[in-house]
Amino acid sequence: MKNQNPSQTIVNETHLAMRVSVISVIVNLVLSAFKLLAGIFANSGAMISDAVHSASDVFSTFIVMIGVTISGKKADKEHPYGHERMECVAAIVLAVILFATGLGIGWSGIQKIFFMNSDSLEVPGMLALIAALVSIVTKEWMYWFTKFTADKIRSDALRADAWHHRSDALSSIGALIGIGGARLGFPVLDPIASVVICLFILKAAIDVFRDAVDKMVDKSCDEKTMEEMRQVICKQDGVLGISSLQTRMFGSRIYVDAEIEADGSLTLVQAHDIAEEVHQSIEDSFQDVKHCMVHVNPVHNV
């Protein structure tokens, strides 16, 4: 059952998303500075590039904060259905950035594979290896921390930002392999790892983009959720059947339009009470449902 009204829920979810985003910005700034210094003092170009990648995540997180803030605004005269779709816009922007990041990493790796002169490369110091390990652990933790919150509040923008953390962790794995390989006499391992990592990042970007676009164009719920809704509706007293059940995604929320069948001899008040019961049961049973509209069709000779 819902324990609080939708407006309060949105406020709480926005507050939680902003708290995670602020933590993300702080962690990325500290980590970027550490990796940059490690790259400079340990003569590691891979680590310096990884530091720049981490710094770019700060920009991405700011996009999330803007998207979440706008989507959390209450409905107004110009936007009577609210602003939830702004989260989808933020997720699309982040997906594009993530895709570009993946392409950049892959292209850099391809160039090094074909044009690298291993004799001219400096062997990175141990500090670069330590920085890579610290980055992998930190960014993987940030991925799970952000993803947990994103799943809890059903935030597409925050989920996209979580994948940005994962892409940084993968980038650091590539840096670790490259630095370790260079120290062992196999510098080509760095660009090969970068190309493989690029494919994972591109896949994540496409998945985030596709999910956000689906929610921008009123895609219906999955069939499992639809069937669960039908079962809830049919359990309500006075409901003889379902003429029609339609759903549409509005950002991370769901709008439901149901046409139910009831005894045609009922009074208007009785029919209204049945519709109200169906309306309330759907909104109470499915936390993602923002609103349920119910129309009653009379059935005669019951």
Side-chain angles (χ1 to χ4, degrees):
M1 298 291 286
K2 294 182 179 181
N3 298 320
Q4 51 189 352
N5 62 61
S7 297
Q8 185 59 45
T9 299
I10 292 174
V11 170
N12 292 340
E13 292 177 352
T14 300
H15 176 75
L16 187 57
M18 293 298 288
R19 184 169 69 87
V20 171
S21 296
V22 169
I23 293 174
S24 177
V25 168
I26 295 172
V27 170
N28 276 323
L29 287 175
V30 173
L31 189 61
S32 298
F34 172 62
K35 290 199 288 188
L36 179 62
L37 292 174
I40 293 173
F41 287 113
N43 298 316
S44 173
M47 185 49 58
I48 293 175
S49 298
D50 202 31
V52 174
H53 186 194
S54 291
S56 71
D57 284 355
V58 175
F59 170 70
S60 301
T61 303
F62 279 131
I63 293 178
V64 172
M65 296 171 75
I66 294 172
V68 169
T69 299
I70 297 177
S71 68
K73 292 175 61 179
K74 295 181 179 180
D76 52 38
K77 184 178 180 180
E78 288 77 22
H79 307 89
Y81 293 100
H83 302 77
E84 281 89 351
R85 278 185 176 156
M86 285 307 299
E87 262 212 60
C88 297
V89 174
I92 289 173
V93 172
L94 285 178
V96 172
I97 295 174
L98 194 59
F99 192 86
T101 299
L103 286 180
I105 292 174
W107 178 244
S108 176
I110 291 173
Q111 285 183 312
K112 288 179 181 178
I113 290 173
F114 290 102
F115 304 109
M116 179 179 63
N117 181 0
S118 59
D119 295 332
S120 64
L121 294 175
E122 293 185 84
V123 178
M126 182 59 69
L127 181 59
L129 275 176
I130 296 173
L133 286 171
V134 170
S135 177
I136 292 168
V137 173
T138 303
K139 296 302 290 186
E140 187 64 13
W141 171 78
M142 283 302 300
Y143 165 76
W144 286 108
F145 174 64
T146 306
K147 184 177 183 299
F148 173 79
T149 305
D151 291 342
K152 182 178 180 180
I153 66 176
R154 305 170 302 284
S155 170
D156 295 319
L158 209 58
R159 191 173 293 112
D161 201 35
W163 270 105
H164 226 88
H165 291 306
R166 170 61 66 82
S167 77
D168 206 5
L170 292 172
S171 175
S172 294
I173 291 174
L176 177 66
I177 294 173
I179 294 167
R183 291 177 61 83
L184 294 174
F186 303 100
V188 75
L189 287 177
D190 181 15
I192 291 176
S194 295
V195 174
V196 174
I197 289 167
C198 158
L199 298 178
F200 284 103
I201 294 175
L202 294 182
K203 173 63 166 53
I206 292 172
D207 288 344
V208 170
F209 182 86
R210 181 181 298 166
D211 183 63
V213 169
D214 282 343
K215 293 177 179 177
M216 287 280 286
V217 295
D218 289 343
K219 182 182 178 181
S220 64
C221 292
D222 59 275
E223 187 55 38
K224 180 176 181 293
T225 301
M226 294 282 287
E227 182 57 33
E228 290 174 351
M229 287 183 178
R230 293 187 187 98
Q231 292 177 8
V232 170
I233 293 173
C234 289
K235 287 179 181 178
Q236 307 310 309
D237 292 337
V239 176
L240 301 179
I242 301 175
S243 300
S244 171
L245 178 63
Q246 295 178 321
T247 60
R248 57 189 175 95
M249 300 299 297
F250 189 86
S252 60
R253 305 296 178 179
I254 303 172
Y255 279 86
V256 180
D257 295 308
E259 289 189 22
I260 62 172
E261 299 172 358
D263 186 350
S265 64
L266 295 176
T267 66
L268 177 60
V269 172
Q270 290 172 320
H272 172 270
D273 288 343
I274 294 173
E276 184 64 25
E277 187 64 30
V278 170
H279 165 96
Q280 198 61 46
S281 66
I282 288 293
E283 293 194 357
D284 286 344
S285 301
F286 301 90
Q287 61 175 347
D288 290 344
V289 172
K290 183 173 183 179
H291 182 65
C292 176
M293 179 67 71
V294 183
H295 175 79
V296 182
N297 292 325
V299 176
H300 299 286
N301 301 322
V302 177

